[in-house]
Amino acid sequence: MPFISHALIKPQTVEAKLYQEVLAARILEKGSTLLVAPTALGKTVVAVMVAADVLKRGKKVLFMSPTKPLAVQHEKSMRKFLQIPEEEIIVLTGTVSPQERRKVFTEPKIISATPQTIQNDLVSVEISLKDFGLVVFDEAHRAIGDYSYVFIAGQYMRQCENPLILALTASPGWEEEKIQSVCRNLFIKNVEIKTHD
C-alpha cells in the first residue's frame, strides 16, 4: 500500500488516497475552504496534509475544536503524522493559565486549542494570529451567532497578511441560510463535499 511522501509527514503514516490528495491540493489552490465529509473519510488527514504544506513555508498552524477532549485528540494526530519535534505541537485549553498561554503561544509551530481560550486571549490582546498560515475550525457548523469561531475568524482575517481557513464538518446543516451564514462567518471562498459514494 502506498503512503504520502512529504518532507514534514512521517514516512509510512499517511496512506495515499487520491481523493484526500486532491482535496488538499484544491484547498491550497482555491483558498479558505469548507470541507464537508462524513466521519471516517479523513477530514483530519486532509488537514494534516494542508498543515504540512503551510509549515514547510515557515508559517504556524492553529487547530481549533469545540471541546478539550477533541483538542487533545487532534494534538495526538498531529504528533502521530507530522515530522516536527513533539514539543512544537501543543494543546491549549482553559486549564492553562493566561500567563502560561501567552508564553507558550509564540514558540510552537502547531497549537490545538479550544476556541473559547483563543477568543479570551485575543480579546485581552495577549496573543496575535499574524504568524499563522492556517487556522482550522473543526465542527465548523458551529460558526454562527456569537460562537467563538465567528470572532476568531474575523480577528484572523484582520491580523494575517495571507490567511487560510480550513473549516471541517460532517454536516453543515440542511438550511441554506445557515450554511451561507457559516460560509460568511468563516470567510469561505470554496466548498468541497465528499460522500461515501
Side-chain angles (χ1 to χ4, degrees), residues 2-82:
F3 288 90
I4 296 288
S5 174
H6 187 288
L8 292 180
I9 293 179
K10 289 179 181 172
Q12 309 217 315
T13 58
V14 178
E15 224 179 289
K17 293 183 181 170
L18 184 60
Y19 76 89
Q20 291 175 337
E21 293 177 68
V22 168
L23 286 170
R26 282 194 193 147
I27 293 159
L28 290 163
E29 175 197 338
K30 295 185 177 183
S32 294
T33 296
L34 173 64
L35 173 56
V36 181
T39 304
L41 274 188
K43 292 185 293 292
T44 303
V45 169
V46 173
V48 165
M49 292 161 74
V50 174
D53 204 78
V54 167
L55 291 164
K56 197 173 174 187
R57 289 187 249 139
K59 292 293 184 182
K60 295 161 65 158
V61 174
L62 174 60
F63 202 122
M64 281 176 299
S65 317
T67 65
K68 184 181 173 183
L70 264 176
V72 169
Q73 183 183 320
H74 287 307
E75 177 210 25
K76 285 180 180 162
S77 295
M78 297 292 168
R79 287 184 176 197
K80 176 181 172 184
F81 296 127
L82 289 168

Side-chain angles (χ1 to χ4, degrees), residues 176-193:
E176 188 179 338
E177 180 45 45
K178 184 191 175 203
I179 298 167
Q180 294 287 355
S181 180
V182 168
C183 288
R184 269 194 312 275
N185 290 341
L186 296 180
F187 304 89
I188 298 300
K189 299 176 186 167
N190 177 44
V191 177
E192 297 288 343
I193 300 170

Side-chain angles (χ1 to χ4, degrees), residues 57-127:
R57 289 187 249 139
K59 292 293 184 182
K60 295 161 65 158
V61 174
L62 174 60
F63 202 122
M64 281 176 299
S65 317
T67 65
K68 184 181 173 183
L70 264 176
V72 169
Q73 183 183 320
H74 287 307
E75 177 210 25
K76 285 180 180 162
S77 295
M78 297 292 168
R79 287 184 176 197
K80 176 181 172 184
F81 296 127
L82 289 168
Q83 183 104 343
I84 63 173
E86 285 202 359
E87 65 273 10
E88 293 187 358
I89 304 172
I90 65 159
V91 68
L92 272 187
T93 65
T95 57
V96 181
S97 75
Q99 296 82 359
E100 188 62 28
R101 289 200 306 262
R102 185 172 61 239
K103 199 164 67 181
V104 299
F105 199 79
T106 54
E107 296 157 11
K109 290 196 169 114
I110 297 185
I111 295 172
S112 183
T114 51
Q116 295 79 8
T117 306
I118 298 299
Q119 179 175 0
N120 290 344
D121 288 351
L122 284 167
V123 167
S124 61
V125 199
E126 300 282 342
I127 60 169

Side-chain angles (χ1 to χ4, degrees), residues 128-192:
S128 164
L129 299 176
K130 69 180 175 60
D131 296 326
F132 287 81
L134 172 66
V135 175
V136 180
F137 294 86
D138 190 26
E139 296 195 15
H141 53 272
R142 294 171 180 253
I144 51 172
D146 59 2
Y147 191 71
S148 300
Y149 280 179
V150 179
F151 175 79
I152 294 164
Q155 291 295 306
Y156 179 51
M157 296 302 285
R158 278 190 282 285
Q159 295 177 8
C160 184
E161 206 174 300
N162 293 304
L164 176 60
I165 286 173
L166 175 52
L168 308 174
T169 185
S171 172
W174 300 108
E175 296 165 31
E176 188 179 338
E177 180 45 45
K178 184 191 175 203
I179 298 167
Q180 294 287 355
S181 180
V182 168
C183 288
R184 269 194 312 275
N185 290 341
L186 296 180
F187 304 89
I188 298 300
K189 299 176 186 167
N190 177 44
V191 177
E192 297 288 343

